[in-house]
Amino acid sequence: MSTPDSDNANDNAPPLEELMMLAALDENATMAFYDALVGATVFVPGAVTGQTEDGPELELHVWQADDDSSFIPVFTSEALLEEATEGDPVPYLSFVMRDLLAAIDDAAITINPESDISLTLEPDEVQELLNAIIDDSEDDDDEE
């Protein structure tokens, strides 16, 4: 049974972009941003290209940075994805961030490239974030 307030419990939570900006300005806000990020739905240019025994086969777009390094672009909203690809609309997929991190193998990601505030996570940082998620889920299992 739900109450009117419980249906909208997250309506007052700061949007992910706001948390990202706060984390850029205040180191103490970093954990709140990462906690929100791993559970958020994100948007990634790419497409399903087939099916394997393990599930869908994905082709995620890889972009080049100014320094010639490559990264997978990840957007916290469809609007930011559309702004970044305005001249060249692309197909995209949506993921819960923790699932995307688990699917990425040794790749850097940039969150909200082409926007005022973006964040690049190098492959080792992606792995650290994934390990933290795994550790948290194991802790949750231990509590049950």
Side-chain angles (χ1 to χ4, degrees):
M1 180 179 194
S2 64
T3 64
D5 290 339
S6 67
D7 289 342
N8 299 317
N10 290 329
D11 285 354
N12 294 326
L16 197 52
E17 291 87 0
E18 184 178 324
L19 286 172
M20 189 172 173
M21 187 173 292
L22 287 171
L25 299 172
D26 180 0
E27 183 175 303
N28 295 324
T30 303
M31 286 310 299
F33 166 68
Y34 282 127
D35 286 345
L37 177 65
V38 297
T41 299
V42 295
F43 305 90
V44 182
V48 175
T49 58
Q51 188 70 25
T52 68
E53 289 178 11
D54 298 329
E57 187 174 288
L58 305 176
E59 181 179 310
L60 303 179
H61 292 197
V62 176
W63 290 8
Q64 294 295 125
D66 291 338
D67 65 0
D68 286 334
S69 63
S70 60
F71 62 90
I72 296 171
V74 176
F75 296 90
T76 55
S77 71
E78 289 173 290
L80 287 171
L81 183 146
E82 290 169 4
E83 285 176 28
T85 61
E86 187 176 333
D88 187 21
V90 296
Y92 63 90
L93 303 165
S94 63
F95 296 90
V96 172
M97 185 64 167
R98 76 173 51 85
D99 296 337
L100 175 63
L101 292 171
I104 292 175
D105 185 32
D106 198 33
I109 63 171
T110 298
I111 301 167
N112 296 335
E114 308 292 326
S115 70
D116 292 338
I117 298 233
S118 65
L119 170 66
T120 297
L121 297 174
E122 296 301 328
D124 60 326
E125 294 170 308
V126 170
Q127 190 60 49
E128 285 177 31
L129 190 53
L130 181 59
N131 290 342
I133 294 167
I134 292 168
D135 290 346
D136 283 350
S137 71
E138 288 174 356
D139 290 345
D140 291 344
D141 291 344
D142 292 344
E143 292 174 8
E144 290 178 10

